[in-house]
Amino acid sequence: MSTACRLNLAFPVVGALVLLWLRPPEGSVLDDGFLLWFGVGAVLQLAAALVLTRRNHGSWVLGWVLLWLASASYMGAYAPVHLQEDALSGNWATWMAPEPKLPKELEKEAGEQHELPARVAEWRQHRDEAAAWLRTTFAADVLDDAFRTRAKADIGRAGLLLYVLSAIFLSAFFSIGWFAGRHSLHEYGVSGGSEEDPLAVNTMGRDPA
Amino acid sequence: MILTTLPTLLAALAVPPPGAQADSSPGLGESIAAFLGEAAKVAWGLPFILMLGSVGLFYTLKLKLPQLRNFGHAVGISAGRYDEKDDPGEVTHFQALCAALSATVGVGNIAGVATAIALGGPGAAVWMMLFGALGMMTKFASCTLAIRYRVYDEDGHILGGPMESIQRGLGPRFKWLATAFAICALIASFGGGNMVQANQMANAFTHEFKDSLPGSLSEPVVFLGITTNWLRLMLGAAVAAIVASVIIGGMKRIGQVAGVLVPVMAVFYVGGAMTVILLHLDRVPETLGEMFTLAFAGGEEHTVVGGVVGYSVVQALTWGARRAVFSNEAGLGSAPIAHAAAKTKEPIREGLVAMMEPFIDTVVICMMTALVILMTDAHVLFADKAKEGAIVTREAFRMGLEAAPWLGAITVSIGLILFAISTAISWSYYGDRCASFLFGAWAVKPYRLVYVIVLFFGANLKAGFVWDFSDVANAAMAFWHIVALLALVPVVLALYRDYFSREQVPTKGPGARLHRDEGGTE
């Protein structure tokens, strides 16, 4: 079994263990809908790895298609986590961001020239909207320490999930590139692969040495 | 069906007139815009960003940091020291670099940086720079392959780029992959290089002259179902006319115009940014400290599990990388189409020239814009204008040049016009090469006509929509291109090792004559 096949077996298995460990707990803003997409992707990648252990033309075609489908499924797993995390942490960041300070010189003439006080008022409005979203999402009456701890834990979990899902996606996508390489095409007896020497004469390139 | 739907669709995507009430039920246009917005967020998420970054990192490590080791040689090639009159191709190394640079140095350098910082925080600027450095190698590899596998089309013009690299490098079995790339690149040519440029320019102008314009120019006008105003219509028409007058001459004219325009606009804009930075020199250490802290450790309030996995870091990374790639186009596969036209026999030479592009575009110009924005806090004060980033940058320059705010506004406005026009000119070439690949040489003229029409409409559409359209289209073309860059690694490595195993003798400048006298030839 080639190293590429071994890696394609290892990544979904290790990824599944890590994702199960990171599974959002009860009451989390994040949901675990991504696990279904990941499961489909993992099965496809494992199937691709097993199919590609047989070195013939048919295996290459099937394995390559399975890797594309696995990559697409991993993107599907990434999407819901990303969008939830985007809403959660976007509002969190707005709420937590320090209030903008105006340069002293501009503050005096801001009303006429730069409308900066109005901007600051708008910024405060955005902050209030973000706070309202956070209160609703976490069903918290007050933005107290316990709320902060829960929000931080969810954001941290989402960050880790994004990195893990990205790494698993890369393992499948890079395999697509690896198996499209000349060495792999040759190994699997795939006709139509370019047999041309990279340094050979080109219609417009340099002459051969 | 299309004729009846189009005005409704355009109306929904158009800039809403002042005081207009939002419709409570979303129509087709709003649904498309919302879908594109979500698709752009997912497509340009962490997996895609890491994919682009890791390809650059792989080439960087495999070739042992050529960004530093071969930088001097790349400068020499770009300066024409290795030009050979009889080499095949249509434009010199310098003209090819300028043509590609004119496409990359665009609105992204002004508006994209502001968007990245406003949405990803100050740390996004550092990630932009790092992705610029990694992008140097992605671009090196793709442009090397573009020269290696270029061909002539039926009209005798050079046809090269990822579509030819895929088809000829991977073999005819992968023609579908080359076709998929060409289709995506053709669509993408109407996005970032076209609509975004016209749109951001129109936004900046509308913002600049909103109080001083005669009432008739800013009054809402309905044109083909689009509610816009006369200023936007005139700007759209002017940009379309200027671009049309250049692109009709093909790559040779584009190369000549870019060769003049790019150095002028780069010096003009960088000069303006340098002035602001020098005026606030005392704030530079603090700003740099904030950028690097937020890029790697995250803000204290956002850091959750030991810094690097914090939310603010992911946001900084994704937005920084997203706008870096939008700006320098590394990994998208667009620039190799321009570089393929260079006069050279050595693929590696053009690869090294192309390597300069992300450096100039992202490491130098974007970083200057970022410093100006961060030193003036414009990203916070104008956070709600993040999607119309040019306004944020313009306000940053105004605040930065406190003594003469009008000068700051003019610097950005003129920079924006020059950047937008030059980018639109070069991107048309990318699209016309893809049209030629897909349909044959006859398709080039109709494509150019459609291109200038879309440019005109781009000035009148919503900023959010044009950015999202561009992001989705760019991501789509990059996916196919990255497969080729991974599969053709051995070809790039073989060409690189072969090139540097031979002595490289300049044709001009120091050392050239000595070698010739000794009988040394390339």
Side-chain angles (χ1 to χ4, degrees):
Chain A
M1 191 186 284
S2 67
T3 310
C5 287
R6 284 196 193 111
L7 287 174
N8 277 297
L9 285 172
F11 265 93
V13 174
V14 174
L17 294 173
V18 176
L19 289 178
L20 284 173
W21 176 62
L22 285 172
R23 195 176 173 169
E26 199 68 30
S28 165
V29 172
L30 306 167
D31 67 43
D32 56 8
F34 68 91
L35 280 173
L36 180 66
W37 279 103
F38 168 77
V40 173
V43 168
L44 289 167
Q45 195 178 3
L46 287 170
L50 292 173
V51 165
L52 286 164
T53 53
R54 293 173 61 190
R55 290 180 189 180
N56 59 52
H57 181 258
S59 299
W60 183 88
V61 173
L62 182 59
W64 210 62
V65 171
L66 287 172
L67 284 172
W68 273 104
L69 294 173
S71 299
S73 300
Y74 289 146
M75 282 299 271
Y78 175 86
V81 183
H82 177 56
L83 296 177
Q84 288 167 8
E85 189 260 5
D86 199 37
L88 169 61
S89 38
N91 281 302
W92 173 264
T94 307
W95 179 55
M96 292 293 288
E99 188 159 322
K101 293 188 185 83
L102 304 184
K104 288 286 173 210
E105 317 82 70
L106 289 175
E107 204 167 9
K108 288 176 198 159
E109 53 176 345
E112 298 95 49
Q113 284 196 16
H114 296 282
E115 302 166 1
L116 292 184
R119 293 268 151 215
V120 174
E122 275 179 41
W123 182 88
R124 285 181 185 143
Q125 191 188 335
H126 291 150
R127 184 191 53 190
D128 294 344
E129 284 167 7
W133 186 91
L134 288 165
R135 277 197 197 95
T136 316
T137 312
F138 283 94
D141 292 323
V142 283
L143 302 177
D144 59 6
D145 286 347
F147 158 78
R148 287 183 187 220
T149 310
R150 284 170 61 200
K152 280 186 177 182
D154 263 5
I155 294 170
R157 188 181 303 278
L160 278 174
L161 280 171
L162 295 182
Y163 278 109
V164 173
L165 287 169
S166 303
I168 297 166
F169 165 80
L170 286 185
S171 74
F173 197 82
F174 276 35
S175 299
I176 293 171
W178 173 263
F179 284 107
R182 190 190 317 217
H183 52 281
S184 294
L185 296 179
H186 183 71
E187 207 176 323
Y188 285 84
V190 180
S191 58
S194 175
E195 296 298 321
E196 201 182 343
D197 175 1
L199 305 178
V201 66
N202 180 0
T203 44
M204 279 168 288
R206 68 181 178 81
D207 295 331
Chain B
M1 174 67 183
I2 292 172
L3 287 175
T4 52
T5 315
L6 193 62
T8 321
L9 192 64
L10 287 171
L13 300 174
V15 182
Q21 293 295 313
D23 193 350
S24 55
S25 57
L28 178 63
E30 283 90 349
S31 302
I32 291 174
F35 169 76
L36 282 176
E38 295 300 301
K41 278 183 188 171
V42 174
W44 281 87
L46 206 55
F48 183 72
I49 300 299
L50 293 181
M51 180 180 84
L52 291 177
S54 50
V55 172
L57 185 65
F58 172 81
Y59 277 105
T60 301
L61 298 176
K62 197 77 187 168
L63 299 177
K64 296 174 186 152
L65 215 63
Q67 292 101 318
L68 292 179
R69 288 196 303 125
N70 303 134
F71 194 83
H73 187 51
V75 173
I77 300 167
S78 307
R81 290 192 61 210
Y82 295 85
D83 282 357
E84 292 276 4
K85 205 170 61 181
D86 301 328
D87 275 354
E90 294 184 21
V91 291
T92 63
H93 285 298
F94 181 71
Q95 285 176 331
L97 174 67
C98 285
L101 259 179
S102 73
T104 57
V105 179
V107 162
N109 296 68
I110 296 176
V113 179
T115 307
I117 292 173
L119 299 177
V126 175
W127 286 107
M128 278 192 94
M129 193 172 63
L130 286 176
F131 267 77
L134 292 177
M136 289 168 78
M137 289 319 296
T138 320
K139 200 159 267 196
F140 162 81
S142 55
C143 293
T144 297
L145 291 169
I147 294 284
R148 173 64 188 84
Y149 293 114
R150 63 186 175 171
V151 291
Y152 285 110
D153 71 6
E154 302 137 43
D155 280 2
H157 292 298
I158 281 177
L159 185 56
M163 55 279 191
E164 286 300 334
S165 305
I166 293 169
Q167 185 171 270
R168 299 186 61 221
L170 297 180
R173 170 173 287 278
F174 291 89
K175 182 163 186 188
W176 67 270
L177 196 68
T179 306
F181 170 84
I183 291 171
C184 292
L186 190 71
I187 295 169
S189 72
F190 296 117
N194 180 312
M195 287 195 292
V196 168
Q197 307 300 321
N199 186 272
Q200 290 292 299
M201 200 181 86
N203 280 345
F205 266 79
T206 311
H207 184 75
E208 176 75 38
F209 299 113
K210 65 183 173 193
D211 299 325
S212 53
L213 277 176
S216 55
L217 278 181
S218 54
E219 271 176 22
V221 182
V222 178
F223 180 79
L224 288 176
I226 304 176
T227 306
T228 178
N229 60 44
W230 281 110
L231 178 66
R232 283 179 178 273
L233 285 172
M234 289 192 318
L235 282 168
V239 176
I242 294 169
V243 170
S245 69
V246 177
I247 66 177
I248 207 161
M251 183 56 187
K252 280 190 178 158
R253 172 122 34 117
I254 292 171
Q256 286 161 357
V257 172
V260 177
L261 202 57
V262 169
V264 170
M265 70 189 197
V267 168
F268 177 78
Y269 183 75
V270 169
M274 275 304 290
T275 309
V276 176
I277 294 167
L278 289 173
L279 284 171
H280 300 85
L281 210 54
D282 55 323
R283 291 191 206 166
V284 172
E286 181 198 340
T287 307
L288 287 175
E290 185 189 19
M291 278 163 55
F292 279 91
T293 307
L294 291 173
F296 299 109
E300 195 182 327
E301 65 277 15
H302 309 314
T303 308
V304 185
V305 190
V308 81
V309 295
Y311 156 72
S312 56
V313 175
V314 177
Q315 285 298 92
L317 193 157
T318 47
W319 277 105
R322 197 167 160 173
R323 289 289 157 247
V325 175
F326 175 84
S327 181
N328 65 39
E329 298 168 19
L332 300 191
S334 50
I337 300 172
H339 284 283
K343 274 172 167 275
T344 186
K345 287 179 182 171
E346 297 283 3
I348 289 296
R349 277 195 190 147
E350 197 52 31
L352 291 171
V353 170
M355 192 177 81
M356 307 272 295
E357 241 181 275
F359 176 80
I360 297 169
D361 175 273
T362 314
V363 180
V364 177
I365 301 181
C366 284
M367 272 308 282
M368 293 214 160
T369 306
L371 279 173
V372 171
I373 292 169
L374 290 169
M375 288 191 309
T376 54
D377 272 343
H379 61 298
V380 182
L381 292 164
F382 295 88
D384 61 322
K385 297 283 180 193
K387 284 271 181 185
E388 300 156 81
I391 294 171
V392 180
T393 309
R394 180 184 160 282
E395 289 302 323
F397 271 79
R398 280 180 62 137
M399 288 190 281
L401 292 167
E402 288 161 44
W406 58 271
L407 191 60
I410 284 178
T411 305
V412 176
S413 298
I414 294 179
L416 208 57
I417 295 170
L418 295 175
F419 286 15
I421 289 172
S422 69
T423 300
I425 287 169
S426 289
W427 262 90
S428 75
Y429 180 71
Y430 301 161
D432 92 26
R433 293 300 76 201
C434 290
S436 179
F437 177 82
L438 289 168
F439 309 111
W442 69 268
V444 170
K445 282 180 185 163
Y447 165 80
R448 287 177 185 161
L449 181 66
V450 174
Y451 188 84
V452 291
I453 292 171
V454 174
L455 194 59
F456 167 74
F457 280 107
N460 298 284
L461 299 176
K462 283 179 189 163
F465 166 75
V466 295
W467 276 114
D468 291 335
F469 175 88
S470 164
D471 281 339
V472 172
N474 285 353
M477 65 190 278
F479 271 109
W480 313 116
H481 180 226
I482 292 295
V483 172
L485 281 187
L486 291 168
L488 293 172
V489 165
V491 179
V492 178
L493 298 185
L495 288 167
Y496 184 84
R497 283 167 191 152
D498 171 68
Y499 178 77
F500 283 106
S501 69
R502 289 176 281 122
E503 188 185 11
Q504 300 305 321
V505 186
T507 53
K508 293 176 203 159
R513 187 170 296 278
L514 181 67
H515 285 286
R516 279 186 188 151
D517 290 347
E518 288 172 359
T521 55
E522 276 187 74

